[in-house]
Amino acid sequence: MPTLLLVRHGRSTANTEGLLAGWTPGVALDDRGAAQAAALPGRLAELPLSEIVTSPLQRCRETVRPLLDARPHLTPHTDDRIGECHYGDWSGRKLAELKDEPLMEVVQAHPSAAAFPGGESMRAMQTRAAEAVREWNARVERDHGADAVYLMCSHGDIIKSLVAEALGLHLDLFQRISVEPCSITAIRYTRLRPFLVRLGDTGDFTSLAPREEPPADEATVGGDAGAP
């Protein structure tokens, strides 16, 4: 079966403003995110991509645009199932305000029991994304062969949940996974099991340098903003 490259969108204006974007319209890449997207074609230059699939949200479409410009023979596909988690009433709110919500403790420690008010559960998010991957695996293998490589551009929580699913980890452990903006995660699927061959690879270790403020103990819902 094919190898899937999961690309998290580049850093967005919501990331830098500390907002939980969700499906809020008009969330674009910031200047750093645009530079990250511009570097993507070079990072993937040696890979013969067979398909590019993207979340319908603006920040993902902007992330793959330079890659599509570099490979005009590819037509992008949009799949709502790899769109961001539907955070419902939490969408557009400051993460700093949400940390005191009782539900946040559940999101951090027992996400399989978390359902966002007016939105969806994290279980439903993982299920729809995993179903999308399975269907695309079959389609890519049928059209391009078992050794094909294809790319999906999606969001932090979606990618983390897919990594957990590939590793056989319970969803309650997925907050232990971290994927930075414009990082690349690669999963090679086979008939019997997936293999995680890259996780959150940015080719940049800046984010591991000591910071004036130590990293938070809790996972950032939706994904953090990456290196300063």
Side-chain angles (χ1 to χ4, degrees):
M1 296 178 71
T3 296
L4 168 62
L5 303 182
L6 289 163
V7 177
R8 185 183 167 202
H9 61 78
R11 195 173 75 175
S12 72
T13 53
N15 292 144
T16 49
E17 293 170 11
L19 299 175
L20 183 60
W23 286 68
T24 304
V27 176
L29 299 183
D30 68 5
D31 289 344
R32 181 180 178 84
Q36 291 169 333
L40 200 55
R43 294 169 64 194
L44 298 174
E46 300 302 315
L47 294 180
L49 297 178
S50 59
E51 300 282 2
I52 293 178
V53 187
T54 181
S55 155
L57 296 173
Q58 178 180 341
R59 52 197 183 274
C60 287
R61 291 186 284 108
E62 289 180 351
T63 298
V64 299
R65 176 48 54 193
L67 190 57
L68 291 166
D69 289 343
R71 305 192 187 209
H73 62 286
L74 290 177
T75 300
H77 305 275
T78 300
D79 195 323
D80 287 359
R81 294 173 297 176
I82 62 167
E84 182 62 283
C85 185
H86 291 277
Y87 297 118
D89 298 344
W90 280 25
S91 299
R93 292 181 60 187
K94 286 275 190 181
L95 287 164
E97 298 171 358
L98 292 170
K99 69 178 183 179
D100 295 325
E101 294 277 356
L103 178 60
M104 183 60 85
E105 186 176 12
V106 182
V107 170
Q108 293 293 326
H110 191 19
S112 66
F116 296 97
E120 70 179 332
S121 69
M122 302 198 92
R123 292 191 317 279
M125 172 199 75
Q126 183 187 45
T127 297
R128 63 172 165 86
E131 287 177 349
V133 167
R134 289 188 184 94
E135 289 183 18
W136 277 102
N137 282 346
R139 177 174 174 175
V140 169
E141 182 172 5
R142 181 196 68 205
D143 294 345
H144 303 284
D147 294 329
V149 179
Y150 76 107
L151 180 148
M152 282 184 168
C153 185
S154 188
H155 307 265
D157 280 349
I158 295 287
I159 294 171
K160 288 162 55 178
S161 75
L162 289 171
V163 169
E165 200 264 350
L167 291 176
L169 292 177
H170 197 282
L171 185 61
D172 286 344
L173 300 178
F174 100 124
Q175 297 290 25
R176 302 183 183 195
I177 299 166
S178 177
V179 290
E180 291 199 8
C182 225
S183 64
I184 300 173
T185 294
I187 302 173
R188 180 167 57 85
Y189 288 87
T190 72
R191 187 174 66 87
L192 297 180
R193 65 183 63 86
F195 292 89
L196 179 66
V197 293
R198 292 286 189 281
L199 176 62
D201 190 339
T202 63
D204 177 5
F205 292 90
T206 306
S207 64
L208 301 182
R211 304 185 189 183
E212 292 183 9
E213 293 185 8
D217 291 336
E218 294 187 341
T220 303
V221 182
D224 63 27

